[in-house]
Amino acid sequence: MLASRGFIVLEAENGAEALELAKRHREAIDAVVTDIVMAVMDGLELGKKLEQVCPQARTIYMSGYNEETELFNELARRGVPFFRKPFPLQELVRKISQLVGDRRTA
């Protein structure tokens, strides 16, 4: 869906795969959209590790779990971009564009 909006998209099955993909990718990664709850490596851990690999990348988190309200509130207090599922694609496109400008890479 993001590719249809002009973004270059790299896809990974889980956090560990995303981290390895980021390490191998030659071009700058501007934004990372990740679920908080994933197998192998959760989104928060991925976000921390990506800060080392591609410090310019902005991470946007999402989740469909309502039990994580405390975590959601903490992310909001820290100004970390977060979406509760489901959400309109246009909101995600707007947030990515706001964070990275017109470079259109995610």
Side-chain angles (χ1 to χ4, degrees):
M1 295 172 113
L2 289 173
S4 72
R5 298 296 200 280
F7 292 98
I8 297 168
V9 178
L10 305 173
E11 294 182 47
E13 291 290 319
N14 57 57
E17 185 179 310
L19 183 60
E20 288 306 312
L21 182 61
K23 288 177 181 177
R24 291 191 317 266
H25 191 67
R26 295 199 179 275
E27 296 177 34
I29 296 173
D30 296 321
V32 175
V33 179
T34 183
D35 203 308
I36 289 178
V37 178
M38 296 187 295
V40 184
M41 178 188 304
D42 68 45
L44 295 174
E45 183 179 356
L46 172 62
K48 288 178 185 172
K49 290 185 176 189
L50 282 173
E51 288 175 6
Q52 309 292 314
V53 176
C54 31
Q56 76 287 349
R58 300 295 308 266
T59 303
I60 300 171
Y61 298 95
M62 64 181 159
S63 182
Y65 290 98
N66 289 327
E67 308 82 60
E68 297 175 347
T69 302
E70 194 172 310
L71 175 60
F72 302 157
N73 293 336
E74 175 60 26
L75 291 173
R77 278 191 293 277
R78 292 178 20 210
V80 175
F82 175 79
F83 288 91
R84 282 185 193 240
K85 293 182 200 174
F87 53 85
L89 175 62
Q90 194 54 38
E91 284 184 31
L92 180 60
V93 169
R94 190 174 13 258
K95 178 53 81 175
I96 293 171
S97 296
Q98 175 188 8
L99 291 175
V100 303
D102 292 331
R103 293 174 287 200
R104 291 286 170 171
T105 56

